Amino acid sequence: MELRAGDARAVILPEAGAAFARLDHCGRALLVPVPDGADPNSGFHGSFLMAPWTNRLDGGRIAVAGVTHHMPVNRPAENTAIHGFLREMAWDVLEAGAAHLVMRCAFDRAPFTGTARLEARLAADHLSLSIGLTNGGAVPTPMGFGWHPYFMRPSGTSLTVATRTVFGRDTRNLPIAPRPCAGLRGNEAVPDGLDAHFAGWDGKAQIDWPDGRRLTLDATGAWAGNLQVFAPHQGGALAVEPVSHAPDAANRMDAAAHGAMHVLDPGQTLAGSLTLSWSG
């Protein structure tokens, strides 16, 4: 489905996890476009939602009401379950207009039962996203969500974020050794191969492209506080991912101390919003 507002254009795929295939301004890509025929949820392109958890679960493990569940391991080399499963599901369109779209996804995969609702609104100079994740089950359940965009990263791209903590990674890309960190400075190019989780994030990020364009991200609610940054080698992409909890927070006390999963009571909703603004 295509949204248009002024010189801005977005292409969203409800049938493919509510992924974004494109986000353009004045005919220039902000997100790396998804190639024709490619999987929008696999590859360094577009954007996808992560829910009902984000990033990795070690061995796919998550305990709910004293019972340990094992989610399917979809990263076998690491023995992790990564990025949730709502990106694999078709979403229903509840409302659609020239510049706005409201989608809903119902899910029931133990221990996760509930609904997700995503609203996208496009303006000439910004995109707004709002998400709500509701526990439809009978017991309190830890849940979380994130957004995984791949922005364009030409040589010389810089990123500015303010944080309090950064994690190291073990050989399976699971979080270890949290340490103080003030974030990333925008006067330096994003390091090729960067893959780090930040906590104590203030919900704001700024990308400056070498052609003078600028993109700012403002996150609120559960979408603010934790941030994953990934710059794949030779990928020409930059993932700046607002997330509601730290990787493997369900299994690691040191990770949960810097961003625990939210335990939702039956009927309770976890909510967040973010705005992407562009100029230049």
Side-chain angles (χ1 to χ4, degrees):
M1 303 193 72
E2 184 175 271
L3 306 182
R4 286 187 177 271
D7 292 323
R9 172 182 177 241
V11 177
I12 305 173
L13 308 173
E15 75 282 2
F20 276 68
R22 299 192 67 95
L23 179 62
D24 305 331
H25 179 244
C26 291
R28 295 183 292 181
L30 303 174
L31 292 172
V32 178
V34 175
D36 291 340
D39 182 351
N41 292 305
S42 178
F44 305 144
H45 48 232
S47 73
F48 58 85
L49 282 167
M50 301 176 283
W53 75 89
T54 78
N55 210 283
R56 293 160 172 83
L57 291 176
D58 189 359
R61 294 189 310 274
I62 185 164
V64 177
V67 178
T68 298
H69 298 261
H70 291 270
M71 306 310 298
V73 169
N74 53 5
R75 192 64 66 85
E78 298 176 346
N79 189 32
T80 58
I82 189 169
H83 295 338
F85 54 79
L86 263 61
R87 61 180 176 145
E88 303 166 2
M89 300 180 67
W91 289 53
D92 298 318
V93 175
L94 302 182
E95 300 176 22
H100 83 280
L101 186 63
V102 180
M103 295 165 286
R104 177 182 182 273
C105 182
F107 54 92
D108 188 3
R109 297 186 190 180
F112 300 108
T113 299
T115 57
R117 183 183 186 274
L118 178 69
E119 180 173 0
R121 291 189 175 272
L122 186 66
D125 61 351
H126 69 272
L127 169 71
S128 297
L129 298 176
S130 298
I131 190 170
L133 189 65
T134 302
N135 180 12
V139 298
T141 303
M143 292 190 184
F145 55 69
W147 194 54
H148 199 311
Y150 282 105
F151 298 110
M152 300 292 292
R153 182 172 62 98
S155 178
T157 297
S158 66
L159 172 64
T160 305
V161 294
T163 67
R164 293 195 299 270
T165 303
V166 65
F167 282 83
R169 293 180 295 142
D170 66 14
T171 56
R172 294 188 296 136
N173 291 310
L174 290 167
I176 58 172
R179 63 186 188 277
C181 174
L184 298 171
R185 298 184 302 172
N187 60 341
E188 298 177 355
V190 176
D192 192 52
L194 175 67
D195 192 357
H197 185 81
F198 298 90
W201 176 49
D202 67 359
K204 300 181 183 299
Q206 179 178 300
I207 298 173
D208 287 287
W209 285 298
D211 62 2
R213 290 184 298 158
R214 171 173 291 176
L215 185 142
T216 58
L217 186 154
D218 290 283
T220 61
W223 243 333
N226 287 73
L227 184 74
Q228 188 78 22
V229 179
F230 175 41
H233 288 294
Q234 289 84 43
L238 173 62
V240 182
E241 312 162 36
V243 292
S244 65
H245 61 84
D248 202 33
N251 301 306
R252 296 171 183 250
M253 293 181 62
D254 58 346
H258 296 279
M261 294 185 73
H262 296 259
V263 179
L264 302 183
D265 290 327
Q268 188 177 5
T269 298
L270 183 67
S273 62
L274 62 87
T275 299
L276 293 177
S277 304
W278 45 82
S279 61

